[in-house]
Amino acid sequence: MNTTRKLLPIACLLAATAAPAARASADNPSATPASAPLQLEWDARLRHEQVDDDAYSRDARADTLRLRLGLRANFGSGWSGLLEGAGVASAGEHYNSGANGRTQYPAITDPHGGELNQAWLGWRNDTFGATLGRQRLLLDNERWVGNVGWRQYEQTYDALSLQWQPLSTLNVRYAWLDRVHRVAGPDALSPPARERRLDTHLFHLAWTQGAQQWTGYAYLHEDRDVASASTATWGVRWSGNALSDGNGPGWTLEAARQDDYANNPLHFSHDYWLLEPAWTQAGLTAKLGWEHLGGNGRHALQTPLATLHAFNGWDDQFTVTPPGGIEDRYASIAGKLGRDGFAGKLGWVVAWHDYRADRGGRYGSEWNASLSFPLAAGLSGLVKLADYHADGFGHDSAKVWLQLEWKGRQALADAR
């Protein structure tokens, strides 16, 4: 694992040398009002990822460039639409993308190629909205339903989604999912890794009062291609801060129950809970967390539609919950390098995880760290590290990412 760890000082040097060249600007001059009849939107991301996994004799490295390009139309009277494509180019094949068959390398799920990312038509007024077509869906913290935005390809859904807001404090959402398009891309060697046919119903209700939010949800997920992935999940979530300015104590409490559902041939019932107290002061936020995904030794609670990279460590050891379940106990601290000027725009995070089985022994531990920095209007940089130490599950693994991303939008026609 020496190769990846040698990249740590290089990554830090890159961040340090990039900082003086940055132009501090919170506004994107290319941003345009949502009312413009026709807009061009783009998201270009250049990334180097390196993986040093003790299970392999070779390190993996991927240098990829993703361009997401879309046309957004606002037709008036509440109608709008989006047509968006995504393409990924890679320099070299020194990694297992899931589509190139290079299994002698560790996995980095960023294959080259292209696909239709979003294509939807929507209507919205002050209280009701509806969207039909291939779209992005994000619910709460994306623990159950998300877009896996970290990978170069995005997870999107062929869906009908509805939103009703009868009160300013109450939001009701429903979505029916017909298909999920996964981050392994359309050329993945495994067909279920490309996309899956679904008959999934998502019910979500959120009530916001001041700095607090209460959420209730029911996710009835039927996977027509992988029957054992079909589950019914019912849960509640409470998050908030004691003070309206966000300082002082904060918390997230969540509990859910997951059972087999629809065509699933298995029979199980698993618990989920999250306890996450936090404290924010002087621009720093410290958190302690305990996340529990139940398992019985034969089967465990799963979250197949989640943005999995955001949970249980950035090394992605637990994108599939082991049969014994997971107890993830963690601590993190995040903030800015300064209060004013450019230092006030440099964001950093350090986190530590201890992983244990719900039934069984210890899995391992992991350190995560990142530094993000603006470079110009719409352009940002990121240095990110993950270091997993195995103790009964998997193998020691370390990863490093160096990334530049440019986002923007430009009106192609003026509002009349």
Side-chain angles (χ1 to χ4, degrees), residues 40-252:
L40 177 68
E41 302 179 351
W42 64 87
D43 184 342
R45 181 196 283 165
L46 176 66
R47 182 157 70 200
H48 170 82
E49 179 172 346
Q50 185 141 342
V51 180
D52 183 357
D53 189 323
D54 281 0
Y56 296 85
S57 60
R58 303 181 183 184
D59 292 355
R61 94 180 160 271
D63 297 290
T64 57
L65 174 63
R66 190 278 313 284
L67 176 61
R68 191 181 296 155
L69 199 61
L71 282 174
R72 184 182 298 269
N74 294 285
F75 305 111
S77 302
W79 289 94
S80 63
L82 176 66
L83 181 64
E84 181 183 69
V88 180
S90 63
E93 295 281 351
H94 301 288
Y95 66 103
N96 178 12
S97 70
N100 60 9
R102 308 278 282 182
T103 56
Q104 67 270 37
Y105 293 101
I108 299 176
T109 311
D110 286 329
H112 61 77
E115 70 171 1
L116 177 67
N117 193 53
Q118 295 191 80
W120 55 259
L121 180 67
W123 180 82
R124 183 178 300 275
N125 64 12
D126 291 338
T127 60
F128 182 80
T131 304
L132 177 65
R134 187 169 300 180
Q135 58 191 277
R136 177 184 298 128
L137 288 174
L138 313 174
L139 294 179
D140 292 325
N141 63 344
E142 303 179 49
R143 195 6 151 175
W144 302 99
V145 181
N147 70 325
V148 198
W150 173 247
R151 299 265 48 111
Q152 298 287 48
Y153 277 127
E154 185 177 22
Q155 180 166 278
T156 58
Y157 305 87
D158 293 347
L160 169 65
S161 60
L162 308 175
Q163 183 170 319
W164 178 46
Q165 192 167 9
L167 305 171
S168 62
T169 57
L170 183 63
N171 193 301
V172 182
R173 297 181 66 180
Y174 165 77
W176 173 71
L177 313 183
D178 176 66
R179 196 175 298 260
V180 57
H181 302 272
R182 309 184 72 205
V183 297
D187 300 318
L189 298 180
S190 170
R194 302 172 201 159
E195 63 180 30
R196 293 188 185 180
R197 296 173 301 140
L198 310 177
D199 185 7
T200 295
H201 302 271
L202 307 176
F203 301 90
H204 185 274
L205 185 148
W207 179 49
T208 303
Q209 190 68 34
Q212 300 184 41
Q213 184 178 74
W214 290 262
T215 299
Y217 54 83
Y219 302 142
L220 309 181
H221 174 58
E222 180 178 354
D223 190 321
R224 293 179 172 178
D225 291 322
V226 183
S228 59
S230 297
T231 56
T233 305
W234 306 77
V236 293
R237 176 183 174 88
W238 177 33
S239 60
N241 295 90
L243 303 178
S244 59
D245 63 1
N247 286 315
W251 63 87
T252 300

Side-chain angles (χ1 to χ4, degrees), residues 148-391:
V148 198
W150 173 247
R151 299 265 48 111
Q152 298 287 48
Y153 277 127
E154 185 177 22
Q155 180 166 278
T156 58
Y157 305 87
D158 293 347
L160 169 65
S161 60
L162 308 175
Q163 183 170 319
W164 178 46
Q165 192 167 9
L167 305 171
S168 62
T169 57
L170 183 63
N171 193 301
V172 182
R173 297 181 66 180
Y174 165 77
W176 173 71
L177 313 183
D178 176 66
R179 196 175 298 260
V180 57
H181 302 272
R182 309 184 72 205
V183 297
D187 300 318
L189 298 180
S190 170
R194 302 172 201 159
E195 63 180 30
R196 293 188 185 180
R197 296 173 301 140
L198 310 177
D199 185 7
T200 295
H201 302 271
L202 307 176
F203 301 90
H204 185 274
L205 185 148
W207 179 49
T208 303
Q209 190 68 34
Q212 300 184 41
Q213 184 178 74
W214 290 262
T215 299
Y217 54 83
Y219 302 142
L220 309 181
H221 174 58
E222 180 178 354
D223 190 321
R224 293 179 172 178
D225 291 322
V226 183
S228 59
S230 297
T231 56
T233 305
W234 306 77
V236 293
R237 176 183 174 88
W238 177 33
S239 60
N241 295 90
L243 303 178
S244 59
D245 63 1
N247 286 315
W251 63 87
T252 300
L253 306 175
E254 186 171 355
R257 187 76 170 176
Q258 184 177 90
D259 301 291
D260 56 278
Y261 176 70
N263 58 339
N264 197 321
L266 307 176
H267 299 285
F268 55 83
S269 187
H270 301 303
D271 292 324
Y272 172 87
W273 68 71
L274 172 67
L275 307 176
E276 190 182 76
W279 190 280
T280 299
Q281 199 70 40
L284 298 176
T285 298
K287 294 181 180 181
L288 295 175
W290 179 16
E291 188 181 38
H292 169 95
L293 291 80
N296 57 22
R298 300 180 305 278
H299 185 274
L301 181 142
Q302 304 292 336
T303 60
L305 301 182
T307 296
L308 293 166
H309 180 76
F311 302 92
N312 309 135
W314 297 336
D315 199 71
D316 289 334
Q317 290 286 324
F318 302 101
T319 55
V320 176
T321 311
I326 297 177
E327 296 272 351
D328 181 4
R329 301 169 190 182
Y330 57 92
S332 70
I333 186 167
K336 304 290 185 180
L337 286 185
R339 294 192 178 185
D340 302 310
F342 180 70
K345 300 179 182 296
L346 297 175
W348 59 270
V349 178
V350 176
W352 177 80
H353 295 260
D354 178 73
Y355 306 116
R356 301 173 186 268
D358 178 24
R359 297 192 179 185
R362 191 166 182 267
Y363 290 149
S365 61
E366 182 175 341
W367 283 98
N368 295 154
S370 72
L371 175 67
S372 59
F373 44 93
L375 294 169
L379 179 65
S380 62
L382 176 70
V383 179
K384 185 170 170 177
L385 306 162
D387 193 1
Y388 174 75
H389 294 268
D391 185 14

